[in-house]
Structure formats: structure tokens, C-alpha cells
Amino acid sequence: MNIIQAPCPHFNERALPLDSIILHYTDMPHMEETLACFASPHSKVSCHYLICEKGQVYQLVDDEKRAWHAGESSWQGCTDLNSCSLGIELANPGHSHGYLPFPEIQIESLIRLCHMLVKRWNISPSRILGHSDIAPRRKQDPGHLFPWETLAKEGLGLWPNNKELRSQRDLTEMLAGIGYETISPSHALIAFQRHFQPHKIDGIPDEETFRLVQGVLGA
């Protein structure tokens, strides 16, 4: 695929093997503003790839380097997600500027890019996560409009393998078993709902919530 180089100065060396992809939205109203932010010597934020609304893909940081996109985060006990992940930003105004559905052409580019990166770096598809998954107390991107099920149908990302309710084990324990940080169980639950149950982001578990949690654990 055609990738446009747009070097960003904010990166350092990885301290962990690369094993994950983290998806974000930019939370900025305009693509030009986003590129300017990443290029600014003062922003101290970066990502590896940026996909605009029309599907063009930009690379800002080499895969081998540690970009600064995850911030304070945790997944399956790892607290340096920047070191073990590739960060992909999707241009979208986000919740700060009038959150919008992601254009089909943008998602198509994301799927192609993820397939390429999974193959190149031998990343497990189950390690394609959202920023809100790894930082549930701070972040909500890529948000409830992101088509996680579409990616899952392409073999990318976590998704429940069944919807049969087997037993109502402790919900916090199950969320931790998936990988969520559960210092704040309510935030972990809302992050799960945002990813897997976007029609019900209220922090209140119902029977469907338990089925989905169990299905992800069994995936």
C-alpha cells in the first residue's frame, strides 16, 4: 500500500518486544492541525501511522522506534504500552469536536495496514486494541462508533466467540482476565462496553454484558 512519509521528532528506543497495535482517534477538527501538532517540537506526542478521512496513510515514526501515543496505560499487566505497540491514529474530530462515524474508505485503509503490520511483526490479532481499552480511566477513543466487529470479521481484534451465558463469575475478575486494568472496575466495565457493547455504555452490567465478557475470555 502507498504510505506517505511525514516524520515526527517524538520517539525513543523500545524497551520491550513489539506485540500490539493500539488504535486512536485524533480528537482534532482538521487533518492539517493534526499533522502540525505531531510535527511541533513542543507537542511531545506521536504515533506510528495516521490515516486521514479519505484513506491516505501517513507514517510518522518508524515501526522499530517507540512512539508516544499510549500514555499512562495498562494491559495484561504491562504498563509500558508505548514500548510494545504500534500506534495508529484515525483522523476524526472525536468527542471534543463533534464525533463522527468513521468513513468506509478510512476503515478499509486501516484494515489493509493492520494486515500488513500483523504479518510483518507477527502480532496476534487479539492484540489489536483501543486506547480506551488500555487507559479506561482516561480515554474513550476510538469511541463507540468505531466498527470493531468489522475488523473482527477480517481477523483483526478481539471479539466474543459465542453469546451463550454460562455462569456469572465475578465480573471484575473476568475483565482483569481479558487484560483490563481494574483499579477502577466501573471504568474498566465502561471501556469494555464502549468496545463490545456500544449501544449500552452505562457502566451497569446486564445479561448481555456477561455473555460478551465470557465470549471474549473464550475467544
Side-chain angles (χ1 to χ4, degrees), residues 48-187:
H48 294 90
Y49 296 93
L50 169 63
I51 305 176
C52 78
E53 295 94 333
K54 295 182 179 180
Q56 292 97 329
V57 179
Y58 294 78
Q59 182 162 20
L60 287 76
V61 174
D62 289 343
D63 291 3
E64 293 86 353
K65 301 300 182 181
R66 178 182 182 272
W68 306 342
H69 60 96
E72 181 183 349
S73 53
S74 176
W75 188 258
Q76 294 181 346
C78 176
T79 57
D80 185 4
L81 272 297
N82 280 333
S83 272
C84 68
S85 69
L86 294 166
I88 301 177
E89 293 271 0
L90 298 165
N92 188 294
H95 289 84
S96 299
H97 303 283
Y99 186 40
L100 294 172
F102 296 86
E104 184 176 339
I105 193 170
Q106 188 181 38
I107 298 303
E108 289 172 354
S109 290
L110 173 63
I111 288 170
R112 289 197 300 273
L113 178 61
C114 284
H115 277 305
M116 182 186 77
L117 297 173
V118 163
K119 182 177 180 180
R120 176 186 295 171
W121 297 107
N122 194 30
I123 295 172
S124 168
S126 67
R127 296 285 296 188
I128 299 175
L129 306 164
H131 200 187
S132 59
D133 292 317
I134 65 169
R137 288 178 290 149
R138 299 188 304 112
K139 296 295 181 178
Q140 53 184 329
D141 59 310
H144 63 281
L145 297 179
F146 183 78
W148 285 108
E149 188 171 6
T150 298
L151 264 68
K153 288 177 180 177
E154 293 287 337
L156 302 167
L158 287 167
W159 201 252
N161 67 357
N162 65 72
K163 294 185 177 180
E164 179 183 353
L165 181 62
R166 297 189 301 276
S167 64
Q168 292 196 4
R169 291 167 48 199
D170 180 77
L171 185 61
T172 301
E173 176 188 336
M174 290 193 292
L175 289 170
I178 292 170
Y180 287 94
E181 174 197 80
T182 54
I183 293 174
S184 172
S186 62
H187 284 95

Side-chain angles (χ1 to χ4, degrees), residues 192-211:
F192 178 89
Q193 289 177 322
R194 185 172 285 116
H195 189 138
F196 299 102
Q197 199 180 11
H199 54 279
K200 185 186 185 302
I201 310 174
D202 58 6
I204 301 171
D206 61 5
E207 183 175 311
E208 181 188 33
T209 308
F210 278 94
R211 289 201 308 269

